[in-house]
Amino acid sequence: MAARAASAAAVASPGARSESISRKKRGRSVQTEPWVNPHLPHEAEIVERIDESEHVFTLKLRLANPAQHAAYRFAPGQFNMLYLYGVGEVPISIVSDPEHDDLLDHTIRRVGRVTDGIAALKAGDRLGVRGPYGRGWPLDALEGKDVLIVTGGLGCAPSVSVIQYMMRRRARFGAVTILQGVKHYNDLLWRARYEAWAAMPRTRVLFSADTGGPLWPWHIGPVTGLFEHIEPEPGRTLALLCGPEGMMAATVRALRGLGLADSAIWLSLERSMHCAVGQCGHCQFGGKFVCKDGPVFACSEIAPLFSVKGL
Amino acid sequence: MPVRVDIEAPVTETRFLPRADLQRLLDVLAEAGYECIGPRVRDGAIVYDPVTRVSELPHGVTDRQGPGEYRLQAGAGGRCFAWANGPQALKPLLFTPQESLWTVRRDAQGRLAFIPAPPVARPVAVLGVRACDLAALRLQDAHFRDGPRPDPAYSARRDALFLIAVHCTHPAATCFCVSTGDGPRADFGYDLALSELDDGFLVEAGSVAGGVILRRLPTVEATTDQRQVAAREIESGARAQQRALPGTDLRDTLFGRLEHPRWEEVAQRCLSCANCTSVCPTCFCYSEHDVPSLDGTESTHTRQWDSCFTFGHSYIHGGAVRGGTRERYRQWLTHKLGGWHDQYGRSGCVGCGRCITWCPVGIDITEEARAVCAD
Ligand SMILES: Cc1cc2nc3c(=O)[nH]c(=O)nc-3n(C[C@H](O)[C@H](O)[C@H](O)COP(=O)(O)OP(=O)(O)OC[C@H]3O[C@@H](n4cnc5c(N)ncnc54)[C@H](O)[C@@H]3O)c2cc1C
Ligand code: SF4
Ligand code: SF4
Ligand code: FES
């Protein structure tokens, strides 16, 4: 587990924590440890469970080994493999703030075999955790820039950590615009959190729902419909996208129409994952392994393959 | 551990081992602690199985291969390496078809203890390895062993491997290693390399460990004449190859033709049976599964070979990304001949021709690549 290297560093010097974070700001996770067994999960305890909606819940986890927990480091946009006893593993993004949260938060939608089983767990139950894996959002590149975040559905999960990261260091970023699209108005999670963000200086939050309702004052239609309300400035705006691939493809087209370069558009891909360490081949996308080269890619890295059906 | 003596000077000259003394090679390997795996006839094919006696080798047997066709026949004189590759290369010995990765125990309080499977590796010597298989091994090494997170089980088995190559003189009709640059002569990666002549074998050492074994064999210095005969046979094998890929780097061409009509055409014939990926010495996909014990106190997490031709391979919640055979064949070919260049700096195909021979409907990777890359 990546915690090992960080652990050695953390013991070596009190400054190690911030040093490790700043290394990660380049968007790469720290993986310099002599790797013991890349497949082996570690025991974690569910400290708290929060039901977000009918199908979505958040687990706050602590690794059973205290030293390992203390040394655990990750970057926004990275994920863990969560293991349910006797059933299997699934990739789930880490939504905590890498510097400020003591626990590892995962917001999970129950959709099938493993997530249904995890949904039945409660505080005090145990899971397996290994990670963090992958390359997260390009934190260094975001510094001083306007940031436009476009998410669809639970695509908001991998972007929550990067939004929190920016909000806690608000002065270091320009205008932040958050566009969140949901299928049904009932699907909107974290309303309080969005309201808190919207109250921050130079921060806008806009919503859209494919299906609105009486209590839905916002846009009805696809999330790209919100683009008429914003004027991102090409050259100083970076866009972060997360959600279903069709939604991201439509967003990329809209952003290109607004003059954004592919290198300024970053997106988080989802593929089947078993090993998470670039060996099982499940997550391949062209010549990339999504688990280690991504899940976050600049659009310029994956164009023209992105949005080709069946790749 | 078997012989790994670094103080002896490497053997650089080519030696000659009379045919009557080939058994010595097997005996010396056994004395050095290796289990020897070599070519044997089983189920109508030449496969790698344990061998202890030279008489177990496929004497006088050769093979006839074609798309969807593999037959053994007599006609190799007294030779025992006069065949092209059988269904499997080194892959199953290192990247095993199935193995457990770890076990988890759950106690009465629900606490979990994860126990890694200890890497078990016994020293194995493989006799009869071909150049294409060594090239494939190098790719599997890059994938499983040489990255930032080496696979413990693969690495342990790899370190305990001793390789005896045989320069290939009998390519099959399905072979095309010349066009991929990987054969038929073995140039690297072996401990010993043999050239089979009528009356014996030329032996070269490729490593210190190989030299140690070679020194224990009753060899004499090879003559110029013997070396010329061996070189000519390899040369004529190379010239006999009938197939070729249209280039060594098809990456840009293939990824530029993702909507080529040929993908649909091949999908009409392809059964999505995954044979091609099972026999391919470089395919590395696997899937992971849990096998819980009946009493519920333990679960074993295993991996087994998987294939991009299966529905489950690209399955994410809601369905498979590559739902049809068109997308799956396209994935396989564009990955093998294209995506590998990004991942490992070269094509993932070493020209062994197995996917052509063992495809039940005789689909030919060289023909499909040609069709997609033609204008
Ligand atoms: C990088 C990344 C980050 C993610 N972050 C989040 C997040 O923060 N929150 C969230 O809710 N979701 C997230 N997901 C999605 C989440 O991983 C899936 O919803 C989850 O895997 C579903 O698992 P399941 O077993 O419950 O569903 P199922 O629909 O039962 O199965 C989905 C997965 O199970 C495996 N599988 C199922 N059937 C087969 C089969 N026949 N053969 C082989 N394999 C099979 C596959 O791995 C498949 O991807 C993320 C995905 C990725 C790739
Ligand atoms: S793709 Fe076919 S010819 Fe190429 S290495 Fe694999 S099995 Fe051999
Ligand atoms: S190409 Fe041939 S061997 Fe491969 S999946 Fe299709 S039918 Fe099977
Ligand atoms: S998940 Fe196994 S290679 Fe990416």
Side-chain angles (χ1 to χ4, degrees):
Chain A
M1 174 165 257
R4 288 171 179 277
S7 149
V11 174
S13 87
R17 185 178 177 111
S18 54
E19 198 270 335
S20 139
I21 294 287
S22 74
R23 276 204 283 163
K24 275 181 196 154
K25 279 201 293 186
R26 276 176 235 131
R28 292 270 168 204
S29 62
V30 183
Q31 286 157 359
T32 49
E33 74 279 13
W35 196 263
V36 178
N37 189 323
H39 309 290
L40 194 69
H42 299 262
E43 187 191 24
E45 181 186 353
I46 300 175
V47 177
E48 193 184 341
R49 180 206 152 105
I50 302 161
D51 284 311
E52 309 280 3
S53 75
E54 197 189 335
H55 298 289
V56 180
F57 57 99
T58 296
L59 298 182
K60 292 175 169 284
L61 304 179
R62 182 188 289 125
L63 296 174
N65 177 333
Q68 202 172 40
H69 185 84
Y72 186 96
R73 299 288 178 274
F74 69 95
Q78 285 193 297
F79 64 95
N80 276 325
M81 293 301 282
L82 298 190
Y83 169 74
L84 175 66
Y85 176 80
V87 184
E89 291 184 302
V90 285
I92 302 288
S93 306
I94 311 161
V95 296
S96 337
D97 182 290
E99 269 177 56
H100 291 78
D101 288 345
D102 177 44
L103 298 174
L104 293 169
D105 300 356
H106 297 82
T107 295
I108 305 167
R109 181 195 299 275
R110 50 182 299 185
V111 295
R113 214 165 49 95
V114 179
T115 51
D116 281 349
I118 294 178
L121 301 179
K122 50 189 192 314
D125 286 344
R126 310 288 168 135
L127 278 172
V129 173
R130 60 185 177 102
Y133 293 122
R135 181 176 68 154
W137 300 103
L139 300 185
D140 272 358
L142 295 178
E143 297 268 327
K145 290 278 170 45
D146 290 349
V147 184
L148 172 64
I149 295 145
V150 190
T151 64
L154 199 63
C156 52
S159 54
V160 163
S161 64
V162 69
I163 297 174
Q164 302 204 130
Y165 179 91
M166 290 191 295
M167 292 302 148
R168 284 188 161 132
R169 303 154 186 83
R170 187 63 194 83
R172 280 153 57 177
F173 306 92
V176 175
T177 311
I178 301 165
L179 311 183
Q180 160 75 354
V182 289
K183 270 205 192 108
H184 192 271
Y185 72 99
N186 268 339
D187 298 339
L188 185 64
L189 300 180
W190 300 319
R191 196 167 286 209
R193 210 177 262 184
Y194 282 112
E195 275 163 15
W197 293 336
M200 297 289 285
R202 304 187 63 204
T203 307
R204 288 174 79 195
V205 179
L206 302 173
F207 298 110
S208 74
D210 296 347
T211 311
L215 295 175
W216 185 260
W218 298 290
H219 180 77
I220 294 179
V223 72
T224 42
L226 294 170
F227 278 66
E228 55 186 74
H229 304 294
I230 60 167
E231 283 171 4
E233 207 180 305
R236 54 167 294 119
T237 305
L238 289 187
L240 312 183
L241 278 46
C242 197
E245 227 154 282
M247 165 260 161
M248 291 199 287
T251 306
V252 166
R253 285 194 295 274
L255 291 172
R256 284 174 180 156
L258 291 169
L260 261 69
D262 277 12
S263 55
I265 305 172
W266 295 76
L267 38 87
S268 182
L269 282 189
E270 179 174 350
R271 282 292 178 277
S272 171
M273 287 186 187
H274 284 216
C275 71
V277 294
Q279 286 180 352
C280 75
H282 278 264
C283 69
Q284 296 198 55
F285 181 76
K288 310 272 190 205
F289 294 103
V290 174
C291 65
K292 64 171 189 176
D293 302 325
V296 174
F297 293 98
C299 194
S300 49
E301 293 175 284
I302 51 174
L305 303 190
F306 177 64
S307 88
V308 175
K309 259 187 79 65
L311 270 194
Chain B
M1 251 332 259
V3 201
R4 291 274 183 222
V5 186
D6 288 1
I7 40 170
E8 296 181 58
V11 181
T12 48
E13 76 274 23
T14 302
R15 309 286 299 175
F16 177 76
L17 178 73
R19 183 168 289 278
D21 290 323
L22 185 60
Q23 181 62 41
R24 272 305 292 152
L25 174 60
L26 297 184
D27 295 344
V28 165
L29 289 168
E31 284 158 20
Y34 292 104
E35 178 188 17
C36 191
I37 305 276
R40 294 187 67 165
V41 174
R42 173 161 54 82
D43 301 333
I46 290 173
V47 300
Y48 287 119
D49 263 349
V51 280
T52 51
R53 309 294 315 160
V54 161
S55 57
E56 295 162 335
L57 298 173
H59 283 278
V61 178
T62 188
D63 54 4
R64 194 180 73 233
Q65 302 193 36
E69 191 201 353
Y70 180 97
R71 289 285 177 277
L72 293 184
Q73 56 194 33
R79 296 201 180 190
C80 42
F81 297 101
W83 37 268
N85 269 316
Q88 293 290 352
L90 298 162
K91 184 169 87 168
L93 296 174
L94 295 157
F95 170 36
T96 54
Q98 178 159 15
E99 74 182 308
S100 70
L101 296 175
W102 43 265
T103 295
V104 54
R105 296 218 176 97
R106 184 168 65 170
D107 68 14
Q109 286 73 49
R111 294 197 50 127
L112 306 177
F114 294 91
I115 305 134
V120 272
R122 56 204 166 97
V124 168
V126 188
L127 171 64
V129 180
R130 299 304 158 105
C132 56
D133 294 345
L134 291 171
L137 178 68
R138 190 144 84 169
L139 284 170
Q140 292 251 312
D141 283 350
H143 183 72
F144 285 110
R145 185 191 65 174
D146 302 339
R149 289 167 168 168
D151 185 83
Y154 180 97
S155 306
R157 291 188 286 256
R158 180 66 178 91
D159 288 345
L161 199 62
F162 184 94
L163 296 167
I164 305 147
V166 172
H167 299 303
C168 190
T169 51
H170 284 69
T174 44
C175 292
F176 54 97
C177 63
V178 172
S179 78
T180 65
D182 296 307
R185 198 191 150 77
D187 289 326
F188 62 84
Y190 54 78
D191 295 291
L192 289 177
L194 309 181
S195 284
E196 185 170 31
L197 304 174
D198 284 336
D199 53 349
F201 300 87
L202 298 188
V203 193
E204 302 154 78
S207 71
V208 173
V212 170
I213 298 291
L214 176 47
R215 253 190 223 99
R216 299 189 191 170
L217 299 176
T219 60
V220 295
E221 199 180 327
T223 65
T224 311
D225 191 41
Q226 285 171 325
R227 281 188 306 217
Q228 280 173 352
V229 171
R232 267 203 304 277
E233 289 197 15
I234 298 170
E235 182 52 35
S236 80
R239 272 199 309 273
Q241 290 193 9
Q242 300 160 17
R243 287 178 157 76
L245 279 175
T248 47
D249 186 353
L250 306 176
R251 175 185 178 275
D252 294 344
T253 316
L254 289 172
F255 282 121
R257 293 175 188 198
L258 294 172
E259 306 301 340
H260 197 283
R262 184 73 180 197
W263 302 120
E264 189 53 52
E265 200 272 331
V266 67
Q268 299 297 321
R269 291 175 282 136
C270 171
L271 312 171
S272 256
C273 68
N275 265 18
C276 49
T277 55
S278 312
V279 296
C280 180
T282 68
C283 274
F284 51 65
C285 284
Y286 63 82
S287 59
E288 298 182 19
H289 307 275
D290 255 64
V291 186
S293 65
L294 287 177
D295 67 0
T297 59
E298 198 175 283
S299 186
T300 300
H301 194 74
T302 62
R303 73 165 158 209
Q304 68 184 50
W305 287 2
D306 198 359
S307 167
C308 54
F309 280 92
T310 65
F311 178 82
H313 190 270
S314 66
Y315 182 84
I316 50 177
H317 157 67
V321 174
R322 295 184 283 275
T325 300
R326 171 185 176 271
E327 289 73 38
R328 296 190 211 147
Y329 191 87
R330 183 179 69 179
Q331 166 66 22
W332 184 67
L333 196 90
T334 54
H335 178 234
K336 187 73 47 188
L337 304 180
W340 277 82
H341 287 276
D342 294 311
Q343 294 169 342
Y344 296 110
R346 60 155 291 173
S347 149
C349 177
V350 296
C352 74
R354 288 187 176 92
C355 56
I356 307 173
T357 297
W358 299 96
C359 173
V361 292
I363 291 171
D364 176 346
I365 184 175
T366 63
E367 196 180 313
E368 298 313 311
R370 230 168 248 293
V372 174
C373 294
D375 290 311

